[in-house]
Amino acid sequence: MTDAPDTPRHPAADVALDRIIAHRGASRAAPENTLAAFRAAIAAGVRTVEFDVSLLGDGTPVLHHDAALDRCTDGRGPLSAIGAADLAGIDAGAWFSPNFAGERIPQLGEALDLLGGAGLTANLEMKPHGADPEPLVQAVLAAMDARPGMAERIVVSSFDAGALAALRARAPAQALAMLYKEPPADWRERLSALGIGALHMRHTALTPEHLAEARAAGIALRVFTVNDPAGLVPLRLPGLDGVITDVPRRFLDDPGWAAWAGR
Ligand code: G3P
Ligand code: MG
């Protein structure tokens, strides 16, 4: 098996993401989208983390998946109702385990500093939650631009095509990925229209045709969220460039997947 694609990669296809990517940090080992989850990923040997970025009401970009605080913190209500000054009073760890009590919702800058210091690469997922994506895009770009070399470590993704278009308009060379639960039939045209070089899709929707089409088009293809290494062995094929998983250690401990990832 060769890993070389049939077509040269799109110029904005990719940065050198590892093939085993920790989803929301190592989110089975620590509360998702926290610095503790990043540290757990690093301790597990992970080299690339995925995380979600949402805006607070005052425009501060933070790591948070949902539009509301309720599921992953002891706060209640929408993120849009709070600002950076409120973060110190919100616990983002105790819901997961008492061992993580006191963990905070990280600001994007803190997360970038941690991953940059540890030499990680990342998949930053923009979550505009249906709002105008422009403020989120500008906040993401500002945080990356404030850290020399950071943008080159990051693939920015979103389910929101408008957010990706807005980012592409401001950052012509930024590596981007389009997220789909199930890609539409014209997914290649949609990526091409925005100069997007990577497709991230739900693993249960993946077909050999997706792999072949991505490979032929020089598109990086990664799947989420995969937590069963044994069940996915048939997908360990040319054309698959990454697995986004809550349990990276399971993949790193599996000799077949470790070899696939070049470990
Ligand atoms: O980026 C892959 C995956 O994180 C997308 O879904 O809902 O877990 O952010 P979600
Ligand atoms: Mg995500």
Side-chain angles (χ1 to χ4, degrees):
M1 180 196 313
T2 171
D3 288 334
D6 299 330
T7 304
R9 283 292 166 80
H10 187 283
D14 232 351
V15 294
L17 297 190
D18 198 65
R19 286 182 156 192
I20 297 173
I21 300 166
H23 183 233
R24 309 179 191 175
S27 55
R28 284 278 178 90
E32 66 179 58
N33 284 318
T34 63
L35 299 185
F38 278 23
R39 292 191 192 98
I42 294 164
V46 165
R47 296 175 184 163
T48 301
V49 290
E50 187 267 2
F51 56 93
D52 306 300
V53 178
S54 304
L55 282 189
L56 303 182
D58 67 356
T60 304
V62 296
L63 272 60
H64 199 74
H65 179 276
D66 300 354
L69 292 162
D70 302 49
R71 182 176 62 87
C72 293
T73 77
D74 65 354
R76 293 293 171 264
L79 286 185
S80 59
I82 66 164
D86 299 306
L87 293 176
I90 297 173
D91 189 304
W95 71 274
F96 182 87
S97 155
N99 296 334
F100 292 98
E103 199 65 29
R104 300 297 168 210
I105 297 174
Q107 295 195 29
L108 175 57
E110 296 175 84
L112 295 184
D113 287 341
L114 175 56
L115 76 87
L120 297 188
T121 52
N123 170 203
L124 184 166
E125 182 187 344
M126 299 187 292
K127 296 274 194 197
H129 301 296
D132 173 9
E134 194 65 41
L136 174 61
V137 163
Q138 290 188 30
V140 164
L141 287 173
M144 293 196 299
D145 290 348
R147 294 166 174 82
M150 185 56 65
E152 290 78 19
R153 293 173 173 274
I154 295 177
V155 174
V156 178
S157 66
S158 190
F159 286 106
D160 188 314
L164 292 169
L167 194 138
R168 172 56 76 234
R170 291 178 176 276
Q174 180 62 48
L176 299 179
M178 184 81 93
L179 273 165
Y180 287 113
K181 289 177 178 162
E182 190 160 351
D186 63 346
W187 68 266
R188 275 191 295 162
E189 289 76 14
R190 292 183 191 222
L191 268 64
S192 177
L194 293 175
I196 295 175
L199 169 67
H200 293 183
M201 62 177 289
R202 191 182 263 176
H203 76 93
T204 49
L206 183 68
T207 66
E209 289 72 31
H210 291 125
L211 289 162
E213 278 185 52
R215 188 174 171 77
I219 297 289
L221 197 165
R222 305 184 181 91
V223 290
F224 62 88
T225 302
V226 293
N227 294 330
D228 173 16
L232 272 176
V233 166
L235 302 185
R236 208 164 57 216
L237 297 167
L240 186 64
D241 296 281
V243 292
I244 301 172
T245 175
D246 297 327
V247 284
R249 192 70 252 167
R250 271 189 209 161
F251 284 83
L252 290 165
D253 284 344
D254 179 297
W257 283 102
W260 173 79
R263 298 301 188 99

